Amino acid sequence: MTASVQSTKPRINCLLDSILDRNNLKFSDGRHLYAYRVNSVELKNLKTALISRIELAAKLRTAEEKAAFCLFGAECFRRHYAGGPYSWDVIFDELGCDERRTQYLKKSVREVADDGLRWWKIDVIRSAYDSQFRLKTIACHGGFPHHVLSSNGAILRRYLCDILRSYEQYDQPISEVVASMNGMLPETINQPVVHDLAATLVTALAKLRRASEGAKEKGLSRRDYLDQEDPGWASRLPLNVVDESAQQILLSLLDTQRVYTSERKPFAIRTSLRLTGKQAELVRQLHFPQRASIESFRQSLGIKADEEIPSRMSSNRKRPMSG
């Protein structure tokens, strides 16, 4: 009886069930789509099933069909996006449907994305400055694109390393740290998708670095230590660690030298160039940790040891006089 019921299930439903089952799940649980680790055979089967539905009905109707589109789309971005403005065409080009069906599907792609991401229990990354937030959400859930890593490995390594060091050194939101470093990226990959993936990766790596502090005591590398203590750690990162470029970046970030508390400056002024469209704005921000010793606080503000520290302080920004 069970076999009879299974055989009547739509093919896309069976494919999704198989992917969930391989991850020891009965239902989607809101994890990033890259964490399902879709393999090449599963991706090929998803593509075939999606094309079949689009050619038959010219649209995706069920929640499972829309969920399959989002998963396929996320994998397309990781495997095929090479930089520049992100577009739905990255997904549609891989499906390879004729122009008429593609244009028809594009008209309903917002609904498809909303319903598909909801099936995966994923919230859409909404932004007042980015009308493509549905596509951005799908792209981010694919993880770091292979071609971006392989073509810009050295630049990304420096970019991510600087973000990680600054994030560990100062108590400030990861979004602010990333925004202050985006000027390091070449225009082709200075995109919101890359920024969001960097924030996700650095946040996860900072947590892993804290969790692997005992590696040196045991004479292990951080990676070997994490493999012993938390075997599934790599699957939670937006990197495909099978990829050689991703491995090199991951290992360099895990082992990069940490700026310890004794080396920290209580206050810092960070200068960054913020790009909005064709407009550029120079931004200077004061950053400080949540806690600082009395000695370092006095030293930073020039307060002598025998002087009382006021309970409230304010500062005025003086602009240079123009002649």
Side-chain angles (χ1 to χ4, degrees):
M1 183 68 179
T2 302
S4 175
V5 173
Q6 290 285 346
S7 65
T8 62
K9 208 174 216 185
R11 184 181 181 189
I12 283 183
N13 296 47
C14 293
L15 289 171
L16 294 178
D17 285 347
S18 175
I19 292 170
L20 292 175
D21 184 64
R22 180 173 51 72
N23 286 276
N24 299 314
L25 296 171
K26 290 187 177 181
F27 306 99
S28 59
D29 61 0
R31 69 181 64 183
H32 286 85
L33 294 179
Y34 59 71
Y36 290 99
R37 299 302 179 196
V38 174
N39 59 46
S40 298
V41 173
E42 291 168 336
L43 187 65
K44 181 179 178 181
N45 290 337
L46 281 172
K47 177 178 179 177
T48 301
L50 283 168
I51 291 174
S52 175
R53 291 305 304 158
I54 293 169
E55 290 182 345
L56 180 66
K59 66 181 299 184
L60 302 174
R61 300 179 183 277
T62 70
E64 288 77 14
E65 291 170 1
K66 297 170 183 177
F69 175 85
C70 290
L71 182 60
F72 178 80
E75 284 295 311
C76 282
F77 265 89
R78 184 177 67 79
R79 295 168 187 249
H80 304 293
Y81 174 75
Y86 46 106
S87 164
W88 289 105
D89 289 336
V90 174
I91 305 173
F92 291 124
D93 287 349
E94 284 304 307
L95 285 173
C97 297
D98 62 53
E99 183 66 20
R100 182 177 63 84
R101 287 186 172 87
T102 296
Q103 291 303 319
Y104 192 82
L105 186 58
K106 281 184 176 180
K107 293 179 181 179
S108 62
V109 74
R110 294 182 178 181
E111 174 194 330
V112 170
D114 284 342
D115 293 347
L117 291 169
R118 189 179 300 115
W119 191 92
W120 291 108
K121 298 182 176 65
I122 292 172
D123 293 328
V124 173
I125 304 172
R126 298 186 181 274
S127 170
Y129 306 100
D130 190 353
S131 60
Q132 294 275 60
F133 49 81
R134 295 176 180 86
L135 177 59
K136 176 182 175 181
T137 303
I138 292 173
C140 285
H141 274 264
F144 264 103
H146 168 77
H147 293 296
V148 171
L149 288 173
S150 59
S151 302
N152 303 273
I155 294 172
L156 277 173
R157 191 178 298 114
R158 289 195 300 272
Y159 169 68
L160 293 168
C161 184
D162 283 359
I163 293 174
L164 178 61
R165 287 187 172 184
S166 185
Y167 180 60
E168 290 183 332
Q169 184 176 6
Y170 302 107
D171 292 313
Q172 64 180 124
I174 185 63
S175 58
E176 293 183 11
V177 181
V178 171
S180 70
M181 302 290 181
N182 289 339
M184 297 174 61
L185 295 175
E187 185 177 353
T188 53
I189 61 171
N190 196 353
Q191 302 291 333
V193 171
V194 176
H195 306 160
D196 283 5
L197 285 169
T200 300
L201 176 59
V202 168
T203 303
L205 280 171
K207 185 176 180 179
L208 288 170
R209 279 158 62 82
R210 291 193 298 270
S212 58
E213 290 291 345
K216 188 175 181 180
E217 185 178 334
K218 291 189 174 182
L220 299 172
S221 67
R222 287 183 184 269
R223 182 170 190 174
D224 290 340
Y225 181 88
L226 289 168
D227 285 342
Q228 287 186 10
E229 301 295 325
D230 184 9
W233 67 274
S235 66
R236 298 191 293 272
L237 298 175
L239 285 172
N240 183 358
V241 293
V242 176
D243 178 75
E244 184 177 349
S245 300
Q247 278 195 43
Q248 291 176 356
I249 290 177
L250 174 60
L251 293 178
S252 66
L253 291 172
L254 271 179
D255 296 326
T256 193
Q257 185 177 357
R258 183 170 184 171
V259 181
Y260 290 96
T261 305
S262 59
E263 301 171 359
R264 296 180 182 178
K265 296 180 180 179
F267 300 93
I269 296 176
R270 183 176 298 282
T271 304
S272 60
L273 186 65
R274 181 178 297 166
L275 300 176
T276 306
K278 296 183 178 180
Q279 300 295 318
E281 178 185 8
L282 195 64
V283 179
R284 303 197 76 190
Q285 296 175 309
L286 174 65
H287 299 289
F288 51 91
Q290 295 178 350
R291 294 174 299 278
S293 68
I294 293 177
E295 292 76 13
S296 61
F297 185 82
R298 286 182 181 277
Q299 183 179 4
S300 297
L301 298 183
I303 301 175
K304 297 178 180 179
D306 58 350
E307 292 180 344
E308 182 180 355
I309 297 177
S311 58
R312 298 182 66 182
M313 303 178 70
S314 62
S315 65
N316 295 315
R317 184 180 68 174
K318 294 183 179 180
R319 296 184 179 179
M321 299 290 292
S322 58

